Amino acid sequence: MTMTMTNLDSVTLGKQMSASEISDTAVALLDDHGTVVGWTQAAEQLVGYAARDVVGQSAALVLPSFGAAPTTSAFVERCRAENGWSGATAVRHRDGRVLDVSLRMSKLEKRDGRPWWLASLADFGERSGDPMNGSVRGLLLARAPVGIVIRDPQLLCTAVNDVMQSHDGLSHDRRLGRRITDALPGPKAEALEAVMRQVLESGTTLVHEYRTWLPTGPHREHPFAVSFQCIQGADGQALGGCVISADVVESRRARECLATLGEAGTRLGSTLDVMQTSQAMAELAVPLLADYAAVDLEQSVAFGEGPPAPHGPKGKHLPVFRRAGLASIHQGVPESSAARGEPVLMPPASPFTEVLRTGRSRLESVLDTASGTWLDQAPLLAQRIHDNSVHSIMAVPIRVRRALLGVMLFVRTENPAPFQEVDLLLAEELVTRAAQSLENARQYAREHCAALALQRHLLPHKLRGGTAVDVASRYLPADMDHGVGGDWFDVIPLSGARVGLVVGDVVGHGLHAAATMGRLRTAVHTLADMDLPPDELLAHLDDTVQRLAGEDDAPDGAPAVVGATCLYAVYDPASHRCTMARAGHPLPAIVDPQGHVTFPDLPAGAPLGIGLGDPFEAVEVELPEGSLLALYTDGLIETRDGDIEEGMHRLGAVLGQRDRSLEELCTEATACFPGQTPCDDVTLLLVRTRSLDSTKVASWELPSDRTAARTARTLAADQLKVWGLESLEESTKLIVSELVTNAVRHRTGPIGLRLIRHQVLTCEVFDTDVCSPRPRRAHTMDENGRGLFLVAQLARRWGSRPVSGGKVVWAEQELPAGAGLRSSVPTVDTAC
């Protein structure tokens, strides 16, 4: 024995290894009827049964899933049908526990032609802190090609599997019935026999490194990990030895791949961008697993457009795919037929299409490029495959539950080794880990697209300044990764050719802020339609924000909206006056026709929803024709590195350029600060004031007696003739008569009449009564109560608004098509 051990030390076989994947593997020998014919100490340690308890018994004693199979061959075929070969299964421990293990069934050839089966079981869950890593490591062992030889106590070969020949080059005929020293004489063979005798005598398991020259491949030594186990019979005596050899290089590569994949979760989860995650997947695969890799996503995933497509029988039509990730060992990725973001065309009979239909991976170890294959349908793709020496491919579906997100393609060109089952297992592990990251990114993209769509829907699509102002606007989110915000702006047509101008900013970002913004924008429209002055409108809006904040908590744990800022202004082109009020919002900028910029001293007011109770104050300023008014949110003038004063100065410098159009001013004003980024969303509303021509306005003071209505009808008819609007004479006389009659009936002072011809014809009647008129349903015998009902029938719309010293009741009518001024004769003011 001393001589033997000396020989062991003198050859590479003498190096003992700690290859736990092999040494911890429990081995049982079965015949084709499923009867246990040999047992090992490792098997006893795993399941608690000694050799005397199981040898001669059915394998179903330990493997519950074996019970339904009449033979071992049938059991293996069922394994193939269920999971492609061997894999995870359950074994029954003697104490009643059920253990999850990886199972491998290896067929062995005997001299008499009747097969034996070697069942190898490994429990990896307990050793690994990562259950997924442990499971995959077990499956790697179950699928990795290993060589197996069974020898009797005299060391004669009694059974061998097909893989062993690829390890040492010995054929079955040369090996079966012979000792290793007879079939392959030399020091290494003697060392192997010495180790086998040691194992047979002790009954233990030993693992050594064994170096040999592969029968194929480069002429250099190749390392194998060799496990020697003693097989025991029912009496516990040695029936022989089992030698299992595994490729050390492939095992080491698999462990390195697993280590890399273990870090993949962190790398893939570092972004919520679908395209970036896909690119990271491709870069992880090259050169770890492939020479070229591509990630193709169903287009709804890539662009956040709704749920992904189902796969399997329910998916009748193949969805459209776009290339989202690319990586190659070659510069420029010549293997790819599509760039990132471009659609990918898949021939109907290709392996990729089969993956989409079945939802299962596809392995083409040797790609068949001969004529008559699916490549005939795609000549350009066939040429690209030929030009880049593509010889082996894997296609793995990217799926979450029953949803198909895409397909990942693995290709080998320079690496001469074809893909094997182990490579497919590692590829599936990469895709499995990446799928959840992609799903998270897809969900985020979908929610973000929904938020953007909501905001685009809520914000005005086209601003109309009418005859009062020219308008331009910009909205720029500060950071697309943090979602949309609550900024809004609007231009609201008001009675009498006036316009309401509003800019607001809801606290926070995301769907909730955007939805709240939409509710406030609607509230402003409603209040503006009531013709409330700016300070009163903000007071009502403040109540609305407080009510919204107290109604419901924000969804998904998001912080509830606690406030908003707003500035509301009303511009009258007839008087050139603009009335403004603000609630905690930045000051507006005013640029006069000469280009002089000012920020008017407008009381700040408290932000909306704070609940301080302080009244808002309105300020009236004169804006000559051609003046520029800029309303904006604080994101335009604030940066992380600059103060507000600096931002206002920069904005003023831009707006003071008299020769620039509104669109040009918007673009330049919202351009990012050099070397800085905005700290909030940017909203800018620019309006250039117009003047309502005096020939389009006629106003009179009427007597406060019964003649007022008759006088008003005459004055209105005469003015309509001047404007060429005779077709509106009868309806206008009725409207004016009813409004003036109401004013006379409730008079407390002078009455005024004004006609305005702009985009519509507006009739306005002023009186000193502050009570707004209300229509009512008149009964059959009532003499009064039908006036406002008649006005509502004749007018496009009507209403009233408070003004200094009273109120104005107004009604609008559509102008006839092609109406124009017949004369430029000035209107005469008549005092009665």
Side-chain angles (χ1 to χ4, degrees):
M1 183 62 66
T2 303
M3 178 65 71
T4 301
M5 294 308 296
T6 301
N7 290 338
L8 286 173
D9 292 337
S10 65
V11 295
T12 53
L13 181 64
K15 180 180 179 182
Q16 191 163 335
M17 303 176 65
S18 58
S20 58
E21 284 87 350
I22 297 180
S23 62
D24 290 351
T25 302
V27 170
L29 198 59
L30 313 178
D31 64 16
D32 199 41
H33 299 291
T35 303
V36 180
V37 297
W39 199 245
T40 61
Q41 285 188 356
E44 181 178 353
Q45 293 171 359
L46 178 64
V47 298
Y49 288 100
R52 62 179 178 274
D53 301 318
V54 292
V55 174
Q57 302 293 322
S58 170
L61 177 66
V62 177
L63 288 169
S65 58
F66 200 95
T71 65
T72 306
S73 298
F75 173 71
V76 172
E77 287 304 317
R78 194 179 68 191
C79 289
R80 286 196 180 101
E82 291 179 355
N83 52 34
W85 179 223
S86 302
T89 189
V91 296
R92 184 184 296 114
H93 195 275
R94 185 169 187 172
D95 62 11
R97 287 181 296 142
V98 176
L99 305 177
D100 293 324
V101 299
S102 63
L103 167 67
R104 180 192 181 95
M105 299 294 293
S106 302
K107 188 176 183 180
L108 307 179
E109 181 180 336
K110 297 168 56 183
R111 294 185 68 183
D112 59 10
R114 290 181 297 180
W116 267 354
W117 294 87
L118 190 78
S120 50
L121 303 167
D123 180 7
F124 290 96
E126 295 182 358
R127 284 209 319 268
S128 175
D130 183 350
M132 185 179 294
N133 254 348
S135 173
V136 172
R137 189 180 292 108
L139 291 174
L140 280 172
L141 179 63
R143 295 190 183 185
V146 295
I148 302 171
V149 176
I150 304 297
R151 296 188 179 275
D152 64 14
Q154 288 73 44
L155 303 183
L156 298 177
C157 177
T158 58
V160 65
N161 74 338
D162 293 335
V163 177
M164 197 64 200
Q165 183 173 350
S166 66
H167 286 187
D168 57 16
L170 292 178
S171 65
H172 291 355
D173 293 338
R174 187 178 171 188
R175 191 191 311 270
L176 285 170
R178 293 184 175 90
R179 291 169 50 179
I180 185 64
T181 52
D182 296 332
L184 194 66
K188 290 188 179 181
E190 295 174 2
L192 282 170
E193 288 196 347
V195 174
M196 282 187 279
R197 290 192 185 95
Q198 182 180 349
V199 169
L200 291 175
E201 293 174 3
S202 63
T204 57
T205 299
L206 293 178
V207 179
H208 285 265
E209 181 182 291
Y210 174 75
R211 292 181 177 272
T212 186
W213 282 270
L214 292 176
T216 59
H219 188 71
R220 62 174 181 268
E221 285 190 323
H222 196 84
F224 291 88
V226 185
S227 169
F228 303 88
Q229 296 195 48
C230 177
I231 298 179
Q232 300 172 341
D235 57 1
Q237 299 300 311
L239 293 179
C242 174
V243 181
I244 302 177
S245 64
D247 192 322
V248 172
V249 175
E250 286 299 317
S251 178
R252 184 181 299 119
R253 174 179 165 272
R255 286 195 298 270
E256 291 173 353
C257 287
L258 280 177
T260 302
L261 294 179
E263 301 172 359
T266 302
R267 181 173 176 181
L268 295 173
S270 62
T271 177
L272 285 174
D273 183 271
V274 173
M275 299 294 284
Q276 290 183 19
T277 302
S278 301
Q279 184 61 25
M281 290 172 62
E283 292 172 355
L284 274 171
V286 176
L288 181 70
L289 292 173
D291 298 328
Y292 160 69
V295 177
D296 298 332
L297 297 182
E298 199 268 322
Q299 68 175 1
S300 68
V301 178
F303 298 97
E305 302 170 352
H311 65 75
K314 295 181 180 179
K316 298 181 180 180
H317 305 288
L318 293 179
V320 177
F321 283 77
R322 292 184 181 271
R323 188 137 290 173
L326 280 175
S328 172
I329 61 173
H330 300 111
Q331 188 173 3
V333 197
E335 303 92 338
S336 180
S337 60
R340 292 183 69 201
E342 292 182 350
V344 180
L345 300 178
M346 298 185 180
S350 71
F352 322 111
T353 305
E354 186 66 20
V355 169
L356 300 180
R357 294 189 188 280
T358 63
R360 296 181 180 178
S361 301
R362 181 72 176 266
L363 170 63
E364 295 276 352
S365 294
V366 179
L367 182 63
D368 186 3
T369 58
S371 61
T373 65
W374 64 271
L375 285 172
D376 292 344
Q377 304 174 13
L380 294 179
L381 180 59
Q383 186 62 43
R384 190 176 293 273
I385 288 175
H386 177 269
D387 293 344
N388 292 279
S389 303
V390 175
H391 64 86
S392 188
I393 64 171
M394 297 185 296
V396 180
I398 308 170
R399 56 183 183 264
V400 177
R401 296 176 294 276
R402 290 293 299 170
L404 178 68
L405 304 183
V407 178
M408 186 166 184
L409 177 66
F410 302 81
V411 172
R412 279 187 177 168
T413 55
E414 297 292 334
N415 187 345
F419 287 121
Q420 303 294 335
E421 286 283 338
V422 175
D423 300 303
L424 180 60
L425 183 65
L426 290 168
E428 289 174 337
E429 174 66 7
L430 168 61
V431 171
T432 298
R433 288 176 177 255
Q436 191 56 53
S437 295
L438 269 178
E439 174 65 3
N440 294 339
R442 184 193 72 81
Q443 291 284 2
Y444 173 80
R446 186 179 179 186
E447 291 181 8
H448 186 64
C449 287
L452 287 175
L454 175 63
Q455 190 166 57
R456 284 194 299 266
H457 177 74
L458 294 176
L459 290 175
H461 297 279
K462 186 175 181 180
L463 297 175
R464 295 179 175 85
T467 57
V469 292
D470 294 318
V471 186
S473 64
R474 290 290 187 277
Y475 169 72
L476 302 176
D479 188 348
M480 295 297 287
D481 289 338
H482 289 90
V484 297
D487 287 14
W488 89 93
F489 57 92
D490 222 332
V491 177
I492 305 171
L494 301 176
S495 63
R498 301 168 307 131
V499 290
L501 309 170
V502 59
V503 168
D505 183 2
V506 175
V507 174
H509 288 83
L511 275 173
H512 190 56
T516 303
M517 172 270 289
R519 299 169 79 177
L520 294 186
R521 179 172 178 250
T522 301
V524 170
H525 266 268
T526 302
L527 296 172
D529 285 343
M530 296 171 63
D531 267 325
L532 294 178
D535 51 343
E536 292 186 29
L537 183 144
L538 291 181
H540 286 283
L541 192 61
D542 183 35
D543 294 338
T544 300
V545 174
Q546 291 186 58
R547 186 180 69 254
L548 292 178
E551 282 181 352
D552 299 305
D553 293 333
D556 302 327
V561 173
V562 295
T565 66
C566 184
L567 189 149
Y568 182 69
V570 175
Y571 173 68
D572 186 346
S575 64
H576 305 155
R577 308 296 293 179
C578 182
T579 306
M580 298 179 285
R582 62 178 179 139
H585 205 77
L587 287 169
I590 297 177
V591 185
D592 65 22
Q594 289 72 44
H596 180 65
V597 182
T598 59
F599 293 88
D601 185 13
L602 185 62
L608 302 173
I610 300 300
L612 297 181
D614 295 336
F616 298 98
E617 298 181 55
V619 171
E620 187 176 81
V621 297
E622 184 172 358
L623 298 179
E625 183 177 7
S627 297
L628 181 66
L629 177 64
L631 309 182
Y632 52 89
T633 55
D634 53 8
L636 182 65
I637 57 174
E638 282 185 332
T639 63
R640 294 179 177 87
D641 304 320
D643 57 25
I644 294 180
E645 293 294 333
E646 180 182 347
M648 294 174 67
H649 177 75
R650 177 185 176 278
L651 176 61
V654 172
L655 298 179
Q657 303 175 82
R658 298 175 55 192
D659 58 339
R660 309 297 291 274
S661 68
L662 290 182
E663 291 294 334
E664 291 173 335
L665 291 176
C666 273
T667 299
E668 186 172 347
T670 55
C672 292
F673 291 62
Q676 302 177 6
T677 56
C679 57
D680 200 355
D681 298 341
V682 172
T683 300
L684 174 63
L685 177 65
L686 292 183
V687 297
R688 182 165 280 139
T689 61
R690 295 178 180 178
S691 176
L692 197 60
D693 194 312
S694 60
T695 61
K696 297 182 179 181
V697 180
S699 59
W700 305 271
E701 186 175 324
L702 301 175
S704 300
D705 56 30
R706 295 180 179 180
T707 64
R710 183 176 65 252
T711 304
R713 290 193 296 270
T714 302
L715 294 172
D718 293 342
Q719 187 61 49
L720 292 181
K721 291 176 183 178
V722 174
W723 285 339
L725 300 177
E726 290 91 338
S727 61
L728 297 180
E729 180 177 338
E730 291 303 320
S731 59
T732 303
K733 288 166 64 176
L734 285 172
I735 290 173
V736 167
S737 180
E738 293 299 334
L739 295 183
V740 170
T741 299
N742 273 349
V744 170
R745 182 177 295 115
H746 304 286
R747 68 185 183 277
T748 56
I751 298 173
L753 171 64
R754 184 167 74 161
L755 299 182
I756 305 173
R757 181 191 181 279
H758 51 114
Q759 293 177 318
V760 294
L761 175 65
T762 302
C763 303
E764 296 182 343
V765 173
F766 166 82
D767 64 56
T768 55
D769 185 10
V770 296
C771 295
S772 298
R774 294 183 179 180
R776 65 181 180 88
R777 182 175 297 276
H779 297 290
T780 304
M781 303 302 295
D782 289 346
E783 297 182 2
N784 300 310
R786 296 179 178 85
L788 291 179
F789 177 78
L790 179 62
V791 171
Q793 296 299 310
L794 295 172
R796 169 178 177 264
R797 62 173 188 153
W798 74 278
S800 67
R801 66 176 182 269
V803 295
S804 178
K807 70 176 184 296
V808 169
V809 183
W810 54 268
E812 293 179 351
Q813 298 179 81
E814 297 283 2
L815 295 178
L821 278 173
R822 288 185 181 176
S823 171
S824 58
V825 177
T827 302
V828 179
D829 288 349
T830 304
C832 300

